[in-house]
Amino acid sequence: MKTIIITKGIEYRWLRDIFPGRHPLLVTLCNKPFIEFLIDFCILAGSTGIRIISDEVMSDVEKHCENGSRWGVEISYANLLPTDNVQKVIEKNSRFCSNERVMVINGLLFIHYDKRSDYRSFFASLPVGEVIECSNGNISLTGAASGAEHQEGAPPLSLPVVDGIDKYYRLAAGILHERLTHYVLPGYNNEPDCFIGRNVVLQKGVSVIKPVIIGNNVQILAGSIIGPGAIIGSNVIIDRESRVSESIVMDNTFIGEQLDVDRKIAEGSLLIDPESGCSLTMEDPHLLSGIKQPTTTGSALQWLAHRIAAAWMIMILLVPYLVIKPFLEWSGLLKTKKIVYHSVIPGENVSLTFASIEKKSVLGTIALFLSLDRFTWLFKVLNGHFALIGCRPVRTDQTIQAANNNLGLYRPGVFSYSEAEKWPENDIDSDIVDHYYAVHSNFIKDISMTQKALFNRINQESSI
Amino acid sequence: MIFQLDTSTKKTIGIAALQVRIDANNCNDLKKAFSHWLHYSPNIVFDCSGLEFIDSSGLGAIVSCLRRALELQGDLRLAGLGPKVSLIFELTKAKQLFSMYPDTSSAVASFSTVGSA
């Protein structure tokens, strides 16, 4: 059997609003991402191939699940249009489905199942059609049944509706209190109702009251009380003498000392009361704050390479810029205006002089050849607001594409990846190119793309 | 911050309406004003219905006000706390220190019933 998982952005908008910066399929429930629960279920149901289909960017999901070898299944990815229905999706993925039995999980569903039950023969024996549904979506089957008979009664299977933070909280609490044995959850589980991850430091006087789930790289400082009913994510610090009970502390969160987190969800500096839906962003970092993940070596190297290259270009171009610019201005070939763009630093803007040079004379040609219209932008690379090459900068009167913004892929550059490629004919093409390289760039690729962008600009008629 | 006196319960109760935000920038103003209000009555109600944000400095200032009221055999009671501000009081366990009421009239009435100073 094969499985198609269809998710549409509109279905999980609420998750994006509450947990920005991560794909909703990677939002954790009891420290396990949503998508992993789905994959586990597909495997239990006898799937050997899973295709995850969405109308949004799934680069983070792809990075997380890769090709599925971790689970021993083949995972592939595909896109759909927001208007596509299930039938259309099956048609578009007919090669994947071939003539096999296909289970279609339509919607961002959480499935209540029990890992000890036999779903394989159950799903193989069911007739074509809908198996189960809820207001979030449904599970259906296509393709002929194998003919094998399911001997036992129907295994436990239900679809709880998860469409708000209160339901998310209740679902997590329900699993922790009643269904811990139904799922494969991360962490060591030497005794019932207690899952503890790697590199967990419990200082003197810490009490852990079951049921509890603790993620990886967690420090719980002296005198704290964790549980009952606490779900602590990974990379969390709980300062001394604090109490966390019946609460969820999401990944990368710091809980200050002597605090009482009861029936809450803490996500970075955001504290949510799931019952009322009220949320508060803390301004006191010693009470509640996010823990920043260290920049990866590759990323730091990439930024260093950009800065060195920008400094080198400034040195080379300074004299030509000072000599040629007055002549261009005098001859009317250079027109400038100030434009404010979104910076790479979230929430900050950067004001730049947008210069357009016409290639009507030798001087204009030389100026364009040397990219003097972008000369002043190079200084913004040095102060970290811009990359040397990246996506096209977005003006502050326009909004950054949600996908780029949420996934931290907005990295405006002095030169854009779309300038390095010759084929983009319109803004949509350029967005595709920019987005592709934003996901797949590294510093070596950036060097070659910068060279290509500089080379392509020589052939431009004007810099506009 | 608007301060007024209420004598409807045969006791003089001070009612102070707190501003939208109490943080490090204005917590000292609250402390100074509170010293002044204590001259009129050691029993004071903070009307928090307009309070939308409080940080740890602001919370410290309110706890300090409570301590000073208690020193004068009075009390400081809170009325009309919004859900966001309640979250802070809950998180920091400050909720356990204060008597809280849904509105100022019930907070004022409480001084003439249980726990009145």
Side-chain angles (χ1 to χ4, degrees), chain B residues 1 16 18 22 27-35 37-38 41-42 44 46 57-72 74-78 98:
Chain B
M1 284 175 289
L18 299 183
I22 301 176
C27 64
N28 284 334
D29 298 343
L30 175 67
K31 284 188 199 168
K32 277 181 200 162
F34 193 79
S35 307
W37 298 335
L38 283 175
S41 170
I44 292 177
F46 274 175
S57 313
L59 195 63
I62 292 185
V63 172
S64 145
C65 292
L66 171 70
R67 191 172 47 80
R68 293 172 68 191
L70 292 173
E71 280 168 5
L72 297 173
D75 197 5
L76 170 64
R77 297 180 184 184
L78 306 179
F98 292 92

Side-chain angles (χ1 to χ4, degrees), chain A residues 123-178:
Chain A
F123 273 90
S125 64
L126 285 176
V128 171
E130 190 175 275
V131 177
I132 191 168
E133 67 161 345
C134 72
S135 59
N136 287 149
N138 59 13
I139 299 175
S140 58
L141 289 167
T142 65
S146 66
E149 279 196 20
H150 182 66
Q151 300 296 327
E152 301 160 24
L157 184 69
S158 62
L159 300 180
V161 177
V162 191
D163 56 5
I165 193 69
D166 54 333
K167 288 181 183 156
Y168 166 85
Y169 173 78
R170 265 182 247 144
L171 180 61
I175 292 174
L176 184 61
H177 286 282
E178 293 158 20

Side-chain angles (χ1 to χ4, degrees), chain A residues 196-208:
Chain A
I196 297 189
R198 295 188 303 271
N199 191 25
V200 173
V201 179
L202 305 177
Q203 280 192 355
K204 212 191 233 175
V206 168
S207 298
V208 176

Side-chain angles (χ1 to χ4, degrees), chain A residues 241 258-262 264 271-273 276 278-284 286-288, chain B residues 21 23 52-57 59 82-88 90-93 96:
Chain A
E241 291 168 25
Q258 296 184 336
L259 299 182
D260 186 10
V261 184
D262 183 39
K264 302 284 180 294
L271 186 70
I272 305 168
D273 180 359
S276 65
C278 176
S279 63
L280 177 71
T281 304
M282 295 286 174
E283 290 185 13
D284 294 297
H286 57 277
L287 289 182
L288 206 68
Chain B
R21 200 181 156 94
D23 55 22
E52 285 176 12
F53 182 83
I54 186 167
D55 71 355
S56 55
S57 313
L59 195 63
K84 288 195 175 190
V85 179
S86 282
L87 272 180
I88 297 257
E90 233 177 285
L91 180 74
T92 55
K93 302 180 211 170
Q96 297 161 15

